[in-house]
Amino acid sequence: MIKVTGLHKHFGKLEILKGIDMNIEKGEVVVVIGPSGSGKSTFLRCLNLLEIPTKGTIQFEGNLITDKSHNINATREKMGMVFQQFNLFPHMTVIDNITLAPVKILKMDKASAVNIALDLLRQVGLEDKKNAYPSQLSGGQKQRIAIARALAMQPHVMLFDEPTSALDPEMVGEVLDVMKSLAAQGMTMIIVTHEMGFAREVGDRIVFMDGGNIVEEGDPQTVFSHPKHPRTQEFLSKVL
Amino acid sequence: MKRINALLACLLTIMLIAGCSGVNSDASGQSTNSKKLVLGTSADYPPYEFHKKINGTDEIVGFDIEIAKELAKDMGAELVIEDMKFDSLLLALNSGKIDIAMAAMNPTEERKKNVDFSTIYYTSDQAVLVRAEDKDKYKTMDDLIGKSIGAQKSTIYEDIARAVPNAKVDALSKMSDILLSLESKRVDALIVELPVAESYEKNRSTLAIADARPKSEDNGYAVAVKKGREDLVSQMNKTIDRLMSEDKVKKYVTDATKLAEEGDSNIWTILMQYKSTFLNGVWWTLLLSLVTVVFGFILGVILVLMRRSRIKLFKWLAIAYIEFLRGTPLMVQLFIIYFGLPSIGIEFPKFIAGAIALSLNSAAYLAEIFRAGIESVDKGQLEAARSLGMGQSMAMRYIILPQALKQVLPAIGNEFVVIIKESSIVSLIGITDIMFQEEVVRGSTYAGLPPLIIAAVLYFILTFTCSKLLGVAERRLKASD
């Protein structure tokens, strides 16, 4: 579904990604872990071209999206993204946050967009908040709304960029629960996170990144219980 | 969508009103073709030309006006009067905004280089006007040496004043301002036309004519026309000859001086008597500000989008525009549009010219305010919008601009208040706003302070209401915080 080849990213002289290769299959849940500054967020942001790769190619559903002539907006519709800082639109109610893109981009009529939005709000357990403004919500509620907003575009893949890092500890669970049920429904997901327990439980594949490279990858059992690379061992010994 | 339609409808209405009124209030336009004689004058110089309430309506009357009426009558044309600053008259003649100019104007050699003159229709003397208690101090012109002297700018009186050794000369455009500076002791004496001095002396017990008498060589007045209009000059001369032979001119001077001999300086009387004059000024100030706000806003948004464009040409054009408009005086911009552009064939009625100048100017300031607003929006907002598949312009329209506007609403409100105040500059080209009407009232009542206070209060009511309304709008928008 997604095929990344030789991905490099420089910020000025700083080389953040030093040649990443990765294949992601439909329905797969890939969890990217690693220390801060390892390039895992940058990698994720390259997948929908929020960061423009310096070198390398990305194919999505057979299309070469790194090609200059490719219309990235059409691809982004199919790649939902959830941010660490939620990034809800503060001047709109919850329901407007969710229905804006389907109505304006997919030209869906307002009534069906609202129906889809209410379904999604039910899924994330926040149906009663439909007319609230983001400022009236807790962090966990904001992030669940942000997930619903991304899902409203009916994406083929969901990208999560440290979705629980900005949350108070007691709110982490409610967001992870939503993500678990999403995984259970067969959604293709790429998740950058520091929640190791969650990674182990939900991930089909764990990718450990350090210094702009993929150091080790494999199924959770292997990576968490029997890491091969000393860097992975060192990292896991610190966080587990 | 509905809201946008309503906004558009509102805009169109404003444009229509502005367009129509602009045309109505500006009967001059292209003036040579039909049976109209457009007279340019500076109606603040009683008894030659001044504003006067006659049967409740404001009219421009005076000695020059009476002669102009005769000129028009002999031509079989309708007389149209355009009131403007004395300094602007020759400019207006040459740009074709007026056909003739009469404003107690001396045909000096310098002026003859730019315009043609009729024969002299009146010769007069000047006087030295002082505060009554100082009357005995100024017996000869030598007593003025080293004093400060007021005179009307660009007139023969200014030249006379400047010829006094060591004198500090304070030259102002409006007679009423000059009078105010004598009464408020900013100058010691004024040089004015004798009949004018006589009418002031009669009206104000605080003023008196001194014994000192200026000697002037160029003291004849003539009608100015655009250079090369010999047909018009001979037409004028014929009428002037007739009036001279009928001895009408002297009669006009005395009549006009009498007409100028009334006035009440009590603020309430002035307010009541000139209520409709002031209200008319409020209407024009409001309309002009509204049009400016709408067009300045639209243009400001366009400018900021250009300023932030990735296309270098747009970006640099916007920067150049903003810097230039912010770095030059509004008055210069206004004069370029109203007096300058006609010389390359672009001519606007005065209301439109005023609205264009103000809109172009405030757009530059608004663009910078918008830029600050856009930059204050968290960049995660744009990323979230883009990640949903929105293009740059859609993200701008639905996500960034609404938040940016909310951020800078207080600054925008402040700019609106500035527009209302700055709009007073259009009185210079004769748009009948509050400031213009204030000058009209000051010119016809001889009252220095009260009309200024009324104008200040009117402006304050407008600006205060404006900021209160914006405060309400701000609180509404805060609903989502």
Side-chain angles (χ1 to χ4, degrees), chain B residues 28-224:
Chain B
S28 69
Q30 287 295 335
S31 44
T32 41
N33 50 0
S34 67
K35 299 216 180 303
K36 271 181 187 160
L37 180 67
V38 182
L39 165 72
T41 191
S42 176
D44 58 351
Y45 199 62
Y48 291 82
E49 44 268 322
F50 56 102
H51 286 268
K52 181 82 186 171
K53 265 257 148 92
I54 291 173
N55 297 329
T57 50
D58 178 67
E59 282 182 31
I60 295 173
V61 293
F63 155 53
D64 282 344
I65 309 299
E66 290 306 311
I67 294 180
K69 280 180 188 162
E70 294 295 318
L71 295 171
K73 198 172 85 185
D74 287 359
M75 285 174 70
E78 183 200 341
L79 183 69
V80 177
I81 304 173
E82 283 286 305
D83 187 13
M84 55 186 76
K85 295 242 163 177
F86 190 84
D87 303 349
S88 310
L89 284 171
L90 298 191
L91 213 53
L93 261 186
N94 283 327
S95 60
K97 291 200 180 290
I98 55 176
D99 298 318
I100 60 170
M102 292 177 77
M105 193 185 281
N106 293 122
T108 58
E109 287 308 315
E110 205 181 328
R111 290 192 182 124
K112 278 180 187 165
K113 283 179 206 154
N114 297 313
V115 292
D116 286 341
F117 283 97
S118 69
T119 54
I120 285 168
Y121 60 85
Y122 173 70
T123 307
S124 79
D125 292 311
Q126 284 85 41
V128 175
L129 193 65
V130 295
R131 292 182 289 275
E133 69 265 27
D134 294 342
K135 184 172 158 57
D136 297 335
K137 288 191 199 161
Y138 302 99
K139 296 222 184 289
T140 72
M141 285 305 279
D142 287 345
D143 294 330
L144 285 173
I145 292 172
K147 301 288 180 187
S148 57
I149 305 174
Q152 195 172 23
K153 198 170 161 188
S154 314
T155 61
I156 191 87
Y157 316 117
E158 186 185 348
D159 299 340
I160 295 170
R162 292 207 186 277
V164 176
N166 294 327
K168 268 201 313 194
V169 179
D170 193 6
L172 300 168
S173 270
K174 287 263 174 187
M175 226 19 238
S176 33
D177 293 334
I178 298 166
L179 208 61
L180 189 61
S181 62
L182 176 63
E183 287 180 315
S184 60
K185 303 195 175 177
R186 268 184 289 136
V187 297
D188 301 313
L190 306 181
I191 308 268
V192 285
E193 190 68 24
L194 182 60
V196 176
E198 280 168 351
S199 78
Y200 284 137
E201 186 184 42
K202 218 162 194 172
N203 267 288
R204 316 279 281 197
S205 55
T206 53
L207 303 177
I209 296 172
D211 292 336
R213 275 293 137 84
K215 279 274 166 282
S216 161
E217 281 153 28
D218 305 320
N219 54 354
Y221 299 143
V223 184

Side-chain angles (χ1 to χ4, degrees), chain A residues 45 48 73 76 79 83 87-92 100 104-105 133 135 149 153, chain B residues 378 380-381 383-391 394 398-399 402-403 480-481:
Chain A
R45 290 159 59 82
N48 66 352
N73 290 337
R76 283 179 181 150
M79 302 171 109
F83 300 85
N87 294 341
L88 290 182
F89 305 135
H91 58 302
M92 294 179 178
L100 179 73
K104 298 295 174 194
I105 300 168
Y133 281 97
S135 57
R149 177 175 72 179
M153 292 296 281
Chain B
D378 182 57
Q381 291 290 311
E383 288 183 351
R386 298 305 302 266
S387 78
L388 285 167
M390 290 188 202
M394 195 186 269
Y398 293 108
I399 307 303
Q403 294 184 58
S480 61
D481 289 346

Side-chain angles (χ1 to χ4, degrees), chain B residues 234-294:
Chain B
S234 60
Q235 188 94 45
M236 302 291 112
N237 288 347
K238 239 184 278 170
T239 308
I240 291 168
D241 288 346
R242 177 174 67 78
L243 295 174
M244 294 282 203
S245 65
E246 293 170 5
D247 208 17
K248 283 261 180 70
V249 177
K250 276 256 167 60
K251 183 184 172 301
Y252 290 151
V253 175
T254 32
D255 282 357
T257 309
K258 261 187 208 144
L259 203 54
E261 276 171 11
E262 286 161 42
D264 194 331
S265 58
N266 178 296
I267 190 163
W268 294 114
T269 334
I270 289 173
L271 183 60
M272 284 304 141
Q273 195 182 349
Y274 291 93
K275 198 167 60 186
S276 59
T277 310
F278 280 117
L279 278 181
N280 183 269
V282 169
W283 157 249
W284 283 105
T285 292
L286 265 181
L287 187 63
L288 189 67
S289 304
L290 204 62
V291 171
T292 301
V293 162
V294 171

Side-chain angles (χ1 to χ4, degrees), chain B residues 437-458:
Chain B
Q437 304 292 26
E438 180 278 324
E439 285 172 3
V440 165
V441 174
R442 200 146 42 100
S444 55
T445 57
Y446 305 107
L449 194 55
L452 280 168
I453 295 201
I454 294 172
V457 169
L458 289 176

Side-chain angles (χ1 to χ4, degrees), chain B residues 370-392:
Chain B
F370 294 153
R371 188 164 68 98
I374 289 171
E375 282 168 9
S376 77
V377 177
D378 182 57
K379 78 179 196 347
Q381 291 290 311
L382 183 64
E383 288 183 351
R386 298 305 302 266
S387 78
L388 285 167
M390 290 188 202
Q392 184 74 33

